[in-house]
Amino acid sequence: MSRENVLPLLFCCQIGTLGLLRQASSYSLWSAAIEGYPTATLWLARLCSVLTLAALVVLVGRFRDRLFGRGAAAGFGAMLLAGSALMLYGAVNVAAYAVSQVLVGVGHAWILACWAARLAAMDAARRNRTIAVAALAAVLLFALVGAAPAAARAPLFLAIAVGSVAPLVGAPWDKVAFPSPVEHAADRASWLRYGGETLRLLPTELVVLMASYSLLFRVLVFFEFPAADPALLTWCEALLRGGGMALLIAYLARRKFVPSVRQIFMPLLFLTVAGLAILPASGRLLATLSVAMVESSWTFFYVIMWIALFEIGRSARGDELMLFLGGWTIMNAILLAAAPVAWLLETQVSQGALSMTALVLVLAYMFSVALLLLRRRSATSALHVDGSREDASSGDGAADWQEERTQFYQRLAEEKRLTRREAEVFAWLAQGYSLPAIEEQLVLSHSTVKGHARSIYRKFGVAGKQELIAMIDGERGRSRP
């Protein structure tokens, strides 16, 4: 296997580090002291990660070629490793632990962004396959650390963290092209506006579901449901995660991944609800399996989000790296905001009210998923304003028009000085598609598509879609010989 193929697969160490960071403090020689440190101190790493990612989102639109490379990977990788070592072996007091969390939070966020930059440079099929295979390898790393003796877990975590940094330092960054996404990058307003327009490509439904699932999982983490058998829990989680990743790899090999609510969240919903349904079970195997199902769902959530955020950027013809970093920042900010809410719930409910609280949260999550699924429309059922379906094969004239249509729409868009996104929305409006259908096709929120449509109508001097289509038909007739 060539070096070009091996390096992306080492992304498994990044996924492994991401998953193990949540419990890394329990591997520390000072774990008992850490449990007594202020709760706010324990969230410094996540806060620093969110702030670092937010800064990268602002800067990547203009300075991306300077943000990523061997130098950045080496410098911030050293921060990650130093912070991890300090947390594991030197957290003798709250000040030392706080410093370790700051180093880990900043270093890990930047290394994650470096991996994202490498993945963004790949074609979609290879990137999705790389993420899925690396996730399967990361499952093996989880199992290895979980099954290791307590004294060996800290060295194993450090080894995995080194594995997430070393490939980036040795990678051939000179072969990764970082084209400037803004023509006039020196214009501060242009690249800030560019970043805002890119983030608006995130579907509102995705952000809502991020929030509901994050709050649900954060509450479950704070309640810390005990497993009947820790050793059995390790193997149950390994089998669930490994089987799930193997199914994902098989799915990607057979079908093109098109991000949708169903593909992203329905499997997670099933796994989480099934785990909670058998949580009250008294049997050793069922009690352990229920905890394994709930905890494994979070692994799938992270992996699917890696694939989905890149795919949303690609299908919307946007900046894939910018969209991924923005989406990942929003997700981590939601998690950070959900933590105090979960902590308050955990402190206010008694053991007797625990199952009812979890049930209410699950029902709220299921309700939000159901509503959003009902809101989506299939673009394949979109109709023209006259009620007829578009059929490109109905006659020779339609076939000829199908070939010249793209150039015709492009010429009209240039004449009216439409923006890139407006030109895309215009092409769908001109064919008679409804706003919900365009939302589905371009993976945009309703408010974004509606705003672009209003701007298009204004530039063409028409009152709505019917007048726009009539004007286009007139232009088409005049352009024909």
Side-chain angles (χ1 to χ4, degrees), residues 127-429:
R127 177 175 58 234
N128 292 344
R129 185 170 57 251
T130 294
I131 293 173
V133 173
L136 180 59
V139 168
L140 302 178
L141 296 180
F142 293 153
L144 176 64
V145 174
R153 291 177 182 173
L156 282 174
F157 172 78
L158 281 178
I160 294 171
V162 170
S164 71
V165 174
L168 295 173
V169 177
W173 284 92
D174 56 320
K175 296 182 180 180
V176 179
F178 290 111
S180 175
V182 183
E183 292 182 5
H184 304 289
D187 182 356
R188 181 176 182 272
S190 68
W191 59 267
L192 284 178
R193 184 170 59 250
Y194 172 81
E197 290 177 353
T198 302
L199 291 182
R200 280 198 293 271
L201 296 178
L202 282 173
T204 304
E205 292 88 344
L206 185 62
V207 177
V208 171
L209 291 174
M210 275 183 190
S212 60
Y213 191 80
S214 297
L215 178 59
L216 169 63
F217 188 81
R218 189 55 65 198
V219 169
L220 297 179
V221 167
F222 268 90
F223 284 140
E224 294 182 350
F225 298 121
D229 188 329
L232 181 61
L233 175 64
T234 298
W235 290 108
C236 285
E237 288 182 348
L239 289 174
L240 284 171
R241 290 166 173 162
M245 296 310 162
L247 288 174
L248 179 59
I249 292 171
Y251 177 83
L252 292 174
R254 294 175 62 87
R255 294 188 60 183
K256 178 182 177 182
F257 184 90
V258 180
S260 68
V261 174
R262 293 179 182 85
Q263 285 182 319
I264 295 172
F265 280 95
M266 291 308 288
L268 300 176
L269 176 65
F270 170 78
L271 193 63
T272 306
V273 172
L276 290 173
I278 62 175
L279 189 63
S282 57
R284 169 175 168 268
L285 178 59
L286 285 179
T288 303
L289 181 61
S290 67
V291 178
M293 293 174 74
V294 173
E295 292 191 354
S296 297
S297 69
W298 193 240
T299 302
F300 298 132
F301 176 80
Y302 265 50
V303 172
I304 292 176
M305 289 308 299
W306 271 90
I307 295 176
L309 288 172
F310 279 120
E311 281 294 314
I312 290 171
R314 184 188 64 81
S315 17
R317 296 186 181 91
D319 187 331
E320 296 174 34
L321 177 58
M322 173 77 84
L323 190 80
F324 171 83
L325 291 177
W328 200 263
T329 303
I330 291 172
M331 185 178 72
N332 279 271
I334 291 171
L335 281 169
L336 188 64
V341 176
W343 178 76
L344 287 173
L345 285 174
E346 191 268 341
T347 56
Q348 292 178 9
V349 298
S350 64
Q351 189 66 27
L354 177 61
S355 58
M356 182 59 67
T357 302
L359 178 61
V360 169
L361 286 167
V362 171
L363 291 176
Y365 174 62
M366 293 174 65
F367 183 67
S368 67
V369 172
L371 286 179
L372 292 169
L373 285 176
L374 289 173
R375 182 180 180 275
R376 304 295 281 176
R377 299 288 193 273
S378 173
T380 58
S381 63
L383 299 177
H384 283 282
V385 290
D386 61 359
S388 62
R389 294 184 183 273
E390 179 183 15
D391 188 356
S393 61
S394 58
D396 295 337
D400 292 341
W401 168 235
Q402 182 74 15
E403 293 179 1
E404 68 183 33
R405 184 174 57 190
T406 300
Q407 294 181 353
F408 178 71
Y409 289 160
Q410 184 177 359
R411 179 175 64 81
L412 290 178
E414 290 175 353
E415 289 177 358
K416 300 299 181 179
R417 298 186 177 181
L418 302 185
T419 66
R420 178 181 61 85
R421 179 59 72 194
E422 288 173 352
E424 292 176 352
V425 174
F426 164 71
W428 291 104
L429 285 172

Side-chain angles (χ1 to χ4, degrees), residues 17 21 29 41 49 51 106-107 112 117 128 132 145 192 196 238 252 315 341 360 393 396 441 465-466:
T17 305
L21 269 174
L29 296 179
T41 310
S49 289
L51 294 176
V106 176
L112 180 144
N128 292 344
V145 174
L192 284 178
L252 292 174
S315 17
V341 176
V360 169
S393 61
D396 295 337
Q441 287 288 342
K465 183 172 64 176
Q466 190 167 359

Side-chain angles (χ1 to χ4, degrees), residues 20-102:
L20 293 170
L21 269 174
R22 185 170 62 86
Q23 57 197 51
S25 59
S26 65
Y27 308 152
S28 173
L29 296 179
W30 305 92
S31 57
I34 290 173
E35 290 180 1
Y37 293 159
T39 304
T41 310
L42 306 180
W43 290 95
L44 269 178
R46 190 171 293 279
L47 175 60
C48 290
S49 289
V50 170
L51 294 176
T52 302
L53 288 169
L56 283 170
V57 170
V58 173
L59 297 173
V60 76
R62 184 176 182 184
F63 303 111
R64 70 179 60 195
D65 55 335
R66 306 177 196 174
L67 296 175
F68 310 116
R70 291 183 179 179
F76 288 96
M79 289 182 64
L80 170 62
L81 299 177
S84 299
L86 181 60
M87 172 178 58
L88 295 171
Y89 298 108
V92 295
N93 53 50
V94 67
Y97 185 70
V99 171
S100 74
Q101 295 306 289
V102 172

